[in-house]
Amino acid sequence: MHLGFGAEAVDYESAWQEQRRVHAARFVDEVPDTCLLLEHLPVYTAGRRTSEDERPLDGTPVVDVDRGGKITWHGPGQLVGYPIQKLPRPVDVVAHVRRLEEALIRVCAEFGVQGTRVEGRSGVWILGDPVEQRAALGGLNLDFDPRVTDELFDPRLNGPEYAPSNAGQRREDRKLAAIGIRVAKGVTMHGFALNVNPDNTSFDKIVPCGIRDAGVASLANELGREITIAEVLPVVEKHLRDVLEGAELLPRAV
């Protein structure tokens, strides 16, 4: 189901309300499994595990939501998908996340971008170079990079060269697609956000997904060319269908 793109991008509260409506209908089997696809108007949303020191320092408004994960940004140039799917109980949440990752990894591959998983971190990632192979920034030797020794390193306070949006230039690990979900009454909500061609500097006001030692990426930046939501949308739809419709849904082992 397409909710709106470009000039018809959807504000977050309206999409959240539509999610709840479809979720309720799916629970009573009034509708089949459904994936809402859209672009959002600019918004910061914070999952249940977001801490205060990960929010914008300048008081930018944040919408607190009932999904898992931490804080992120949504906005133009980002393709958002909310799969609302009934799963067998007891629900295997991890398996659902892995299926979404698999679909998005296949999307990246079709565009010539090698996306992957990072152990312990959900979403789709572009792996960076080993630390010892990365170029120095601004004349700094990487031996003095504060992230090497300081677990509380805050990229918001350390200048643009350390901003999450510049992780590609630093050849660091960077997240291309974020995933945060909720399962209520055996039916999934929320989902994924794939960075196609957004202004990634919007992530610099926060600690994206609570991760301080990596950054964010987009298909446009990784490919070094312009790419649009319209170009990516049918590819995402194809791989979501292949993975989600073809999956053998099993209850979580107990």
Side-chain angles (χ1 to χ4, degrees):
M1 182 185 297
H2 293 181
L3 294 192
F5 303 95
E8 298 179 352
V10 185
D11 71 88
Y12 191 85
E13 293 288 352
S14 296
W16 198 3
Q17 182 176 351
E18 180 65 6
Q19 278 197 78
R20 291 192 287 261
R21 184 192 71 79
V22 177
H23 181 277
R26 182 67 190 96
F27 174 65
V28 296
D29 295 323
E30 290 179 353
V31 299
D33 290 339
T34 303
C35 184
L36 310 180
L37 293 167
L38 64 144
E39 261 181 295
H40 274 307
L41 296 172
V43 64
Y44 291 96
T45 70
R48 293 184 297 250
R49 296 191 300 111
T50 303
S51 61
E52 286 301 316
D53 62 356
E54 293 161 353
R55 296 170 180 261
L57 293 172
D58 62 359
T60 298
V62 175
V63 177
D64 288 282
V65 295
D66 58 355
R67 61 166 169 78
K70 295 198 172 193
I71 191 167
T72 193
W73 172 86
H74 299 306
Q78 186 184 73
L79 178 55
V80 174
Y82 297 132
I84 299 174
Q85 183 178 24
K86 182 174 282 191
L87 301 178
R89 303 192 197 191
V91 170
D92 192 335
V93 176
V94 173
H96 178 64
V97 171
R98 294 293 171 263
R99 287 190 290 270
L100 296 182
E101 290 171 344
E102 177 61 26
L104 295 172
I105 288 171
R106 294 184 187 185
V107 170
C108 294
E110 189 152 333
F111 287 100
V113 174
Q114 186 176 358
T116 189
R117 297 179 176 90
V118 171
E119 186 175 355
R121 292 177 170 178
S122 66
V124 177
W125 291 80
I126 306 296
L127 295 183
D129 298 334
V131 171
E132 63 274 10
Q133 295 179 15
R134 297 176 195 164
L137 298 170
L140 294 176
N141 186 303
L142 282 172
D143 290 342
F144 297 100
D145 189 323
R147 284 161 296 186
V148 175
T149 57
D150 185 0
E151 292 183 358
L152 295 180
F153 170 78
D154 194 333
R156 299 169 301 173
L157 300 174
N158 287 269
E161 65 270 24
Y162 289 108
S165 62
N166 287 327
Q169 288 90 326
R170 296 192 301 269
R171 305 301 303 163
E172 293 179 349
D173 291 356
R174 48 213 183 268
K175 184 179 282 192
L176 185 60
I179 295 176
I181 67 167
R182 179 188 180 213
V183 181
K185 300 179 179 179
V187 180
T188 65
M189 292 181 68
H190 301 286
F192 66 86
L194 173 64
N195 294 329
V196 177
N197 60 353
D199 177 2
N200 274 349
T201 60
S202 298
F203 289 100
D204 297 344
K205 286 188 175 184
I206 59 175
V207 181
C209 302
I211 297 172
R212 299 176 185 272
D213 62 347
V216 291
S218 70
L219 284 175
N221 285 342
E222 296 302 317
L223 292 169
R225 68 171 177 86
E226 184 58 32
I227 185 170
T228 66
I229 295 286
E231 187 178 350
V232 174
L233 180 59
V235 181
V236 168
E237 289 178 324
K238 178 182 73 172
H239 289 294
L240 280 174
R241 285 195 182 100
D242 288 347
V243 172
L244 297 184
E245 291 181 358
E248 181 183 3
L249 301 183
L250 299 172
R252 174 176 52 84
V254 293

